[in-house]
Amino acid sequence: WRCSFKRRVIAWDIAMPLFKRSDEKKKASLKRPTRQVSVPAPPPPKPAPLSPMNVASSDTTGPLHPHRDIAFHVQLAHGSQTKKVKDFRNVRELYQRIAAEFNISAAEILFCTLNTHKVDMSRLLGGQIGLDDFIFVHVHGHSKEVTINKSEPSLGLTVTDNGAGCAFVKKMKEGSVIAKIPEVSIGDHVVSINGRNLYGSRHYEVAKLLKELPQHCDFTIKLIEPHRAFDAIAPRSSTAASKGAATSAEEAVGSGRQTLRLQADGPPVLETLGDEVTWVTKASTLVDDLLESFMGIRDVELADAMVQLARDVTDYAVFAAAMEQELGEFEFPDEFVADVWKAVVKARSGT
């Protein structure tokens, strides 16, 4: 028994170091730094293809409109090289593209005319551009300041704006107070009245300010005239417009049948002039005339917005409610809204 016990003890003593070494190897392996295995990140999901619905987004920083490749020839009205502009959604973006091409500030652009370098208000660029139209850009020229006495209740002045913060003189009534002031001309940008800066003001705000001036008071108006070439002397009033000038919106968009209609919200719309587009254009012209008679302003885009509210409506009450909801800030009187409705009905019926 003693011999067997001694053999067991010896076997145990001999075996122990073997187990200890194995255990030390195990501990050493645990202390050894683990090998880092890099796992590639999953690829980002592919963006969804643009559809006509998300192309037509009104976000100006979003997808480009489907007519982005339609280019227009552009030239400075007082003389320059011909450039091309494209990829714009509205008038403000058009001015930005033009400014980039000619290395000027967009704030220097007063307005644009179509197919003539002259200051011709019948050719003023509005909400539509014919695909074959040539754009002439009128920029800041000399500034001037004049003091006027408002000797009559109305100055006889019609104001419009370029849609980008610049209000300017569009029309002067013959024989009116303003027509007798030689320093004031068609196309002059209204910079300030009695020291009040009007850059960025809409035309109706300028017209309202002029209308609210008390009769027989003197007021000072600061103007900037368009930069003109020697052969581009504009008429002082619309009565001296050249023969053959466009008298309707259809003529003002060039001879082409296809036009690009600019919108305040969303991308421009390519239209082919047909019966429906023709009556809408006629209605916009009639409403624009009403704006001049009621408010002393010209605004093709505003007139077009009113016509669009009435385009698919057959009930006057529905139209009046839409006018109040969408254009309530203008505070149009009820008789004006009624006249707009009559103009739309007249244009739609073709009478």
Side-chain angles (χ1 to χ4, degrees):
W1 180 83
R2 287 181 180 177
C3 291
S4 64
F5 176 76
K6 189 179 289 187
R7 283 196 297 270
R8 288 180 184 176
V9 173
I10 292 171
W12 179 259
D13 291 340
I14 294 173
M16 282 300 291
L18 294 176
F19 284 104
K20 286 182 180 179
R21 283 194 296 270
S22 175
D23 189 54
E24 288 173 358
K25 288 181 180 180
K26 185 177 181 180
K27 288 181 179 180
S29 67
L30 292 174
K31 292 180 181 179
R32 187 181 304 159
T34 57
R35 184 179 178 183
Q36 298 293 331
V37 180
S38 60
V39 179
K46 294 182 179 179
L50 297 178
S51 65
M53 292 301 293
N54 55 28
V55 164
S57 169
S58 61
D59 182 7
T60 57
T61 62
L64 298 175
H65 58 80
H67 310 306
R68 56 179 297 189
D69 292 328
I70 298 178
F72 295 89
H73 290 90
V74 182
Q75 196 176 81
L76 298 181
H78 61 275
S80 72
Q81 293 181 338
T82 300
K83 305 281 188 176
K84 284 186 178 181
V85 293
K86 61 180 181 179
D87 184 21
F88 53 88
R89 298 166 182 260
N90 48 50
V91 173
R92 193 176 294 271
E93 285 192 6
L94 170 60
Y95 287 175
Q96 292 172 353
R97 301 292 183 271
I98 293 172
E101 287 294 329
F102 291 102
N103 196 26
I104 61 175
S105 168
E108 295 180 55
I109 300 175
L110 298 181
F111 53 86
C112 296
T113 50
L114 300 176
N115 307 315
T116 178
H117 65 286
K118 297 182 179 181
V119 181
D120 186 346
M121 293 294 108
S122 64
R123 294 285 183 178
L124 195 65
L125 185 150
Q128 270 184 307
I129 311 175
L131 297 192
D132 60 345
D133 280 340
F134 198 108
I135 302 174
F136 289 90
V137 184
H138 300 259
V139 299
H140 283 194
H142 297 294
S143 61
K144 49 193 176 182
E145 191 172 283
V146 58
T147 299
I148 303 172
N149 181 269
K150 190 178 179 182
S151 57
E152 298 178 13
S154 174
L155 291 170
L157 183 69
T158 299
V159 182
T160 190
D161 64 46
N162 64 1
C166 173
F168 57 92
V169 179
K170 184 172 184 180
K171 186 178 179 182
M172 293 188 294
K173 186 177 180 180
E174 189 174 3
S176 64
V177 174
I178 205 72
K180 297 174 183 177
I181 309 298
E183 293 85 357
V184 182
S185 299
I186 298 296
D188 286 353
H189 166 39
V190 183
V191 178
S192 66
I193 297 175
N194 288 336
R196 176 179 171 180
N197 184 13
L198 296 176
Y199 183 78
S201 299
R202 293 301 310 272
H203 47 47
Y204 60 87
E205 295 174 312
V206 176
K208 183 180 179 182
L209 183 60
L210 290 169
K211 187 177 181 179
E212 291 176 348
L213 291 171
Q215 190 176 352
H216 304 301
C217 78
D218 290 337
F219 67 95
T220 301
I221 184 169
K222 186 176 181 180
L223 307 163
I224 295 180
E225 65 182 29
H227 188 170
R228 298 186 179 98
F230 290 110
D231 62 339
I233 304 300
R236 283 207 60 246
S237 67
S238 58
T239 57
S242 59
K243 290 184 178 181
T247 57
S248 66
E250 301 99 302
E251 295 172 331
V253 295
S255 58
R257 296 292 296 173
Q258 284 193 312
T259 65
L260 198 65
R261 177 178 290 276
L262 305 179
Q263 303 184 110
D265 298 319
V269 178
L270 185 63
E271 294 182 338
T272 300
L273 292 180
D275 293 339
E276 183 183 7
V277 176
T278 300
W279 83 254
V280 169
T281 304
K282 289 181 178 178
S284 296
T285 302
L286 293 174
V287 175
D288 197 24
D289 292 339
L290 290 173
L291 283 171
E292 182 179 12
S293 61
F294 270 84
M295 301 178 64
I297 65 173
R298 280 279 182 179
D299 190 333
V300 177
E301 290 185 6
L302 179 58
D304 187 61
M306 296 184 198
V307 174
Q308 294 301 323
L309 291 177
R311 188 167 186 166
D312 300 318
V313 176
T314 56
D315 186 356
Y316 169 72
V318 175
F319 169 69
M323 284 281 289
E324 177 64 27
Q325 180 178 353
E326 299 295 332
L327 302 172
E329 62 178 316
F330 292 93
E331 299 180 351
F332 294 124
D334 293 340
E335 57 269 23
F336 174 79
V337 177
D339 285 347
V340 170
W341 176 255
K342 292 176 184 177
V344 172
V345 172
K346 179 180 179 180
R348 185 158 42 196
S349 62
T351 58

